[in-house]
């Protein structure tokens, strides 16, 4: 029997949903039970909708398969990827909570150097509730953490920080490598635990990974679109990175248990590996006009720039730009009060 004193006190149970994309039974949840059982789960079933996905007893959840997505979104369901973990963003759309934590079903509870289980969700929540420091780098990492502060020379005018939109977790064991690196280093494992939280500076892009990720849905939700990937698309495994480039600290860690097939990954990634050399300069140069005063308006404007500047690279980007618009329209249909609130706030609020 579990020691009640050792059970962590859950935070934000009524303000956070856990989104899990899957094609298999969710036995992995048993390991996460001490940390997840008080939260609502949104499970997005990919692949064959007739397959029954088993969820361990005692969890509060709703499960959506492709038939549900088609029923709820109608023609707009075309913006949700099929046979790719990018389908998880449907869970972001149907959630009604302020925060989202998303995790892959091959990710297990990791241990810190002392052997203690890491409550990744709790660390993510701490990150999201704590300001970030994107405008000036603090050499003692997170200045808001116990035992740290702003170092000498850090401007006092910037010490309030900025709201944290995304908390990007890391992983031990199987690194999140691309296919060429997997092939060159098939046995490489990440065993280094770094106890630090960093803010990604303003204007700096990063390769976002969706397997251990939390974000403020009210703040950035409509921009967390994982693009068109998987079945019928020329590219895969760039879904989370696309979203990361469209938006944009280190802890917490999870244990990534399963190495995906590098040859299958290469087939999915090869166009992305080529295209990203064009995509990254595009995002580095992208500028949004001051008239874009909501996340939705910013995302629509970005879709126009994708079509205008990347459409010549491949027709896929014309389709993706249209899907970005469809995603925002579907988001606003399912979240009308949030859309109206965003419009009412206007600039500078």
């Amino acid at each position: 029997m579990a020691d009640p004193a050792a059970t962590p006190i859950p935070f934000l149970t009524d303000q956070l949903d856990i989104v899990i994309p899957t094609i298999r039974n969710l036995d992995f949840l048993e390991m996460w039970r001490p940390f997840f059982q008080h939260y609502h789960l949104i499970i997005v079933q990919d692949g064959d909708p007739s397959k029954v996905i088993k969820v361990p007893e005692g969890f509060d959840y709703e499960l959506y398969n492709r038939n549900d997505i088609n029923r709820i979104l109608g023609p707009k369901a075309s913006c949700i990827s099929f046979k790719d973990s990018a389908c998880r963003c449907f869970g972001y759309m149907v959630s009604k909570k302020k925060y989202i934590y998303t995790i892959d079903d091959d990710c297990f509870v990791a241990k810190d150097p002392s052997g203690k289980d890491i409550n990744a969700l709790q660390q993510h929540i701490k990150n999201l509730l704590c300001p970030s420091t994107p405008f000036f780098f603090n050499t003692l990492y997170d200045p808001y953490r116990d035992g740290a502060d702003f170092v000498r020379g850090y401007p006092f005018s910037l010490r309030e920080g900025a709201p944290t939109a995304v908390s990007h977790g890391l992983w031990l064991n199987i690194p999140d490598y691309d296919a060429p690196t997997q092939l060159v280093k098939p046995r490489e494992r990440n065993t280094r635990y770094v106890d630090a939280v960093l803010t990604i500076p303003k204007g700096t892009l990063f390769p976002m990974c969706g397997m251990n990720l939390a974000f403020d849905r009210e703040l950035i939700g409509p921009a967390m679109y994982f693009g068109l990937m998987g079945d019928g698309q020329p590219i895969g495994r760039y879904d989370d990175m696309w979203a990361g480039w469209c938006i944009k600290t280190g802890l917490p860690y999870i244990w990534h248990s399963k190495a995906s097939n590098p040859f299958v990954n290469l087939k999915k990634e090869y166009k992305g590996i080529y295209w990203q050399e064009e995509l990254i300069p595009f995002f580095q140069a992208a500028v949004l006009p001051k008239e874009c005063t909501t996340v939705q308006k910013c995302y629509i404007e970005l879709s126009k720039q994708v079509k205008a500047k990347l459409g010549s690279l491949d027709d896929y980007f014309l389709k993706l730009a249209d899907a970005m618009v469809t995603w925002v329209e579907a988001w606003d249909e399912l979240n009308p009060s949030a859309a109206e609130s965003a419009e009412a706030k206007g600039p500078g609020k």
Side-chain angles (χ1 to χ4, degrees):
M1 187 173 183
D3 177 8
T7 303
I9 300 173
F11 296 102
L12 305 181
T13 53
D14 59 342
Q15 297 184 58
L16 182 143
D17 280 333
I18 298 174
V19 175
I20 305 169
T22 193
I23 57 171
R24 58 180 65 87
N25 294 336
L26 296 180
D27 301 329
F28 92 114
L29 284 174
E30 287 294 354
M31 178 179 287
W32 288 100
R33 186 180 293 275
F35 308 132
F36 289 1
Q37 63 183 346
H38 298 288
Y39 295 88
H40 180 67
L41 312 182
I42 298 178
I43 300 163
V44 184
Q45 178 181 344
D46 199 15
D48 183 1
S50 66
K51 180 179 178 179
V52 177
I53 299 293
K54 295 180 181 179
V55 182
E57 292 185 5
F59 286 95
D60 172 37
Y61 71 92
E62 52 191 302
L63 188 150
Y64 298 92
N65 60 33
R66 193 69 201 187
N67 293 338
D68 298 316
I69 294 172
N70 291 337
R71 172 178 52 82
I72 293 169
L73 295 184
K76 291 184 174 65
S78 61
C79 71
I80 304 298
S81 298
F82 184 56
K83 294 186 178 179
D84 192 279
S85 64
C87 68
R88 78 178 79 218
C89 62
F90 177 77
Y92 309 161
M93 184 184 287
V94 297
S95 171
K96 302 304 176 187
K97 304 289 178 63
K98 178 176 173 58
Y99 301 105
I100 294 289
Y101 174 54
T102 185
I103 185 172
D104 284 4
D105 59 15
D106 63 347
C107 293
F108 301 157
V109 177
K111 294 183 182 296
D112 66 18
S114 71
K116 181 182 177 182
D117 285 351
I118 298 170
N119 185 348
L121 176 55
Q122 187 177 60
Q123 180 65 53
H124 276 297
I125 291 172
K126 288 180 180 178
N127 290 349
L128 289 171
L129 296 180
C130 183
S132 296
T133 53
F135 305 111
F136 203 93
F137 188 79
N138 190 60
T139 50
L140 268 184
Y141 309 124
D142 182 5
Y144 306 105
R145 191 172 181 177
D146 289 344
D149 210 320
F150 293 97
V151 297
R152 179 172 54 90
Y154 200 100
F156 282 87
S157 60
L158 297 177
R159 294 191 181 193
E160 283 189 8
T164 298
V166 177
S167 173
H168 187 272
L170 300 176
W171 50 92
L172 296 171
N173 196 36
I174 306 294
D176 186 30
Y177 285 159
D178 53 39
T181 309
Q182 279 183 294
L183 290 167
V184 173
K185 299 180 174 181
R187 292 183 174 85
E188 185 157 289
R189 298 294 181 265
N190 181 33
T191 60
R192 189 174 52 151
Y193 179 91
V194 180
D195 187 11
V197 176
L198 303 175
T199 294
I200 299 170
K202 183 180 185 296
T204 300
L205 296 176
F206 75 110
M208 190 171 81
C209 174
M211 75 170 80
N212 176 27
L213 182 74
F215 62 94
D216 186 327
R217 182 179 175 275
E218 289 185 359
L219 191 61
I220 203 74
M224 289 296 285
Y225 177 46
F226 276 37
L228 289 176
M229 304 283 155
D231 193 50
Q233 308 302 333
I235 186 176
R237 285 172 54 83
Y238 272 79
D239 51 331
D240 41 10
M241 289 186 288
W242 176 262
W245 292 333
C246 289
I247 53 102
K248 7 172 209 76
T249 38
L251 289 170
Y253 284 92
I254 55 172
W255 185 267
H256 187 201
S257 67
K258 181 170 65 70
S260 49
N261 187 313
F263 295 99
V264 173
N265 291 347
L266 184 60
K267 184 177 180 180
K268 294 178 180 179
E269 293 175 3
Y270 80 96
K271 284 194 173 182
I273 292 171
Y274 166 69
W275 287 341
Q276 73 182 21
E277 303 305 319
E278 301 288 337
L279 297 180
I280 292 172
F282 164 77
F283 282 105
Q284 288 173 327
V287 176
L288 299 175
K290 292 181 180 179
E291 293 74 30
C292 295
T293 55
T294 67
V295 175
Q296 286 92 329
K297 287 181 179 179
C298 289
Y299 206 67
I300 294 295
E301 171 61 27
L302 189 59
S303 74
K304 295 175 182 177
Q305 296 185 25
V306 167
K307 179 172 286 190
K309 298 181 180 181
L310 297 177
S312 60
L313 185 62
D314 192 276
D315 287 346
Y316 165 75
F317 292 100
L318 300 175
K319 187 193 299 185
L320 177 57
D322 290 338
M324 293 168 70
V325 176
T326 302
W327 160 265
V328 170
E329 292 173 348
W331 182 283
D332 285 348
E333 283 185 10
L334 293 186
N335 302 274
S337 60
E340 291 165 6
S341 175
E343 285 290 338
K345 284 181 180 179
K349 300 292 184 181

